Amino acid sequence: MIYNLYIYNKHGVCLLYHEWKRPNITAGSAMADQKLMFGFLFSLKQVVNKLTPDSGMPGFHACSTNKFKLNYYETATGLRFVLNTDPNCGDMRECIRYIYSAVFVEYASKNALYTAGEPLDNEQFLFALDKYVRSLPAFTSGAA
Amino acid sequence: MAAQRPPYQRLGDVAFSKVEKVNAELFTLTYGAVVVQLLKDSEDVEQTSIQLEKMGYNIGVRIIDEFLAKANAGTCTDFKETGEVIAKVAFRMFLGVTVDCRHVVEPNAPADAMPAFHLIIVDNPLVDFVELPEHCSTLAYCNLLCGVVRGALEMVGMRVETKLLKDTLWGDEHTEISVSLKELVHEQYRDDDE
């Protein structure tokens, strides 16, 4: 099951938050929730960088609890994609890469009306994203 | 034969085969029309060159995401490799040509000097059908490319300086762009706790 998606730019601005299913509604505003998530990613990245041995590129892909899994993809341009799913979903990196290349690039980067750093509220973008995510086998798997 | 080619070249070919194409002549003529319009608007050759570079920069900051998403070029370990990737993969993917990358080592340069490379474009699609008239002989016609490289690299944390060194339109044998690294920019976050 796919829960939700966050997209941040390199300055930590949340460009998109989209929710398909969120079993646990957190208290507080959407803004606070997005900041909390970014803070978590930021700290986790610091930890990962500290723990990674010298050889090898640092970078984490996912972390999970018994209830959910956080799938993470960061581009060289500093875009961060966070896709939360149920813990039984396999490797979602390919899916996030697809969202980056076929949705973000096509409907945001190539869209002359989109200014970098603005929230992504373009209808076509959201439509393409929603269509892709709903087509994933992981979207329906594990549904209770 | 194909297996013996350097890997970057192959990556470039693959990327090129995946992207949408437009007619090369249409592209060249459109670019020409843009430059002519800029010249008319600004009435100044120097200003036009600057404007072209700015336009390129704005293209660069967007094009980089498409490049990263579609070219699968991986992560560069140093600036030298960045040069190779730009020359062999990026130029091939977006302009359909391969470019040579020459690494420049300044004689007497200190050991910690910032690296630089030159991109040598022999078969530059932008300059087909173009002649610079007398009063525009100093126009940096291909300055757009400098801007694209600068914009794209800035987005991945490399502040560079680019300059059009040679141009076939100036009577040189090829177009040559110098790219020199100025600064590696690390991530910074605004602390805006309310």
Side-chain angles (χ1 to χ4, degrees):
Chain A
M1 230 185 307
I2 291 174
Y3 296 152
N4 51 20
L5 172 79
Y6 297 77
I7 302 178
Y8 293 92
N9 74 359
K10 68 169 155 189
H11 304 297
V13 179
C14 188
L15 303 178
L16 176 93
Y17 171 69
H18 194 82
E19 194 169 290
W20 285 274
K21 193 174 173 63
R22 184 164 183 157
N24 177 16
I25 310 295
T26 48
S29 67
M31 177 82 128
D33 176 66
Q34 289 157 11
K35 277 196 175 173
L36 186 66
M37 175 57 88
F38 189 79
F40 171 72
L41 296 175
F42 180 74
S43 317
L44 194 56
K45 194 177 167 188
Q46 302 255 308
V47 173
V48 168
N49 285 346
K50 290 256 161 35
L51 290 180
T52 308
D54 285 339
S55 60
M57 292 291 290
F60 80 95
H61 313 308
C63 62
S64 56
T65 71
N66 57 341
K67 291 289 184 192
F68 81 100
K69 180 172 165 207
L70 182 155
N71 299 273
Y72 181 74
Y73 182 74
E74 183 177 336
T75 71
T77 45
L79 285 167
R80 293 142 201 264
F81 293 78
V82 178
L83 187 71
N84 289 315
T85 63
D86 74 285
N88 301 319
C89 281
D91 190 347
M92 300 298 284
R93 268 180 295 162
E94 272 310 305
C95 302
I96 304 182
R97 266 197 74 92
Y98 183 88
I99 292 174
Y100 176 45
S101 74
V103 182
F104 187 87
V105 168
E106 297 298 325
Y107 297 100
S109 292
K110 287 189 185 173
N111 181 355
L113 295 175
Y114 174 72
T115 332
E118 297 282 307
L120 288 160
D121 48 10
N122 178 318
E123 257 176 52
Q124 284 194 316
F125 177 93
L126 296 174
F127 180 78
L129 174 69
D130 192 56
K131 193 174 159 206
Y132 172 67
V133 172
R134 283 177 194 278
S135 75
L136 290 171
F139 188 76
T140 42
S141 71
Chain B
M1 282 300 279
Q4 288 171 345
R5 302 181 72 183
Y8 282 138
Q9 211 135 346
R10 214 164 54 226
L11 267 181
D13 290 345
V14 171
F16 181 66
S17 70
K18 276 197 287 193
V19 291
E20 266 178 69
K21 323 249 181 327
V22 293
N23 181 291
E25 286 181 14
L26 175 71
F27 173 73
T28 308
L29 294 172
T30 310
Y31 183 67
V34 168
V35 178
V36 169
Q37 191 61 46
L38 276 175
L39 272 171
K40 275 189 191 148
D41 289 351
S42 68
E43 296 174 349
D44 181 48
V45 173
E46 185 70 15
Q47 274 304 315
T48 306
S49 302
I50 294 173
Q51 198 58 38
L52 281 172
E53 207 269 352
K54 272 192 201 151
M55 284 170 62
Y57 175 82
N58 289 330
I59 296 175
V61 297
R62 282 168 180 262
I63 213 172
I64 179 71
D65 272 315
E66 185 175 8
F67 176 73
L68 291 171
K70 308 224 165 126
N72 295 321
T75 314
C76 297
T77 49
D78 56 14
F79 196 60
K80 203 171 167 178
E81 204 179 338
T82 307
E84 291 293 328
V85 171
I86 292 174
K88 297 288 184 289
V89 191
F91 269 87
R92 176 85 174 121
M93 175 171 168
F94 292 114
L95 288 179
V97 294
T98 44
V99 166
D100 277 319
C101 175
R102 209 183 62 216
H103 302 282
V104 227
V105 185
E106 294 286 332
N108 318 322
D112 59 347
M114 284 300 198
F117 55 79
H118 289 185
L119 296 168
I120 297 164
I121 314 165
V122 179
D123 187 16
N124 185 351
L126 291 183
V127 298
D128 286 344
F129 323 119
V130 181
E131 262 177 43
L132 292 180
E134 197 80 1
H135 63 282
C136 305
S137 57
T138 54
L139 176 69
Y141 187 82
C142 301
N143 229 8
L144 187 101
L145 296 178
C146 298
V148 174
V149 173
R150 183 169 72 90
L153 286 181
E154 188 169 302
M155 291 305 282
V156 288
M158 283 177 260
R159 207 167 59 74
V160 296
E161 227 171 64
T162 50
K163 195 167 184 299
L164 194 64
L165 291 182
K166 291 182 188 170
D167 198 345
T168 33
L169 300 177
W170 295 339
D172 297 306
E173 265 173 33
H174 50 247
T175 305
E176 187 165 337
I177 298 172
S178 75
V179 181
S180 50
L181 183 64
K182 290 292 157 202
E183 189 187 3
L184 286 173
V185 186
H186 293 287
E187 294 174 329
Q188 282 167 345
Y189 300 104
R190 278 174 295 147
D191 191 10
D192 58 353
D193 273 329
E194 292 111 305

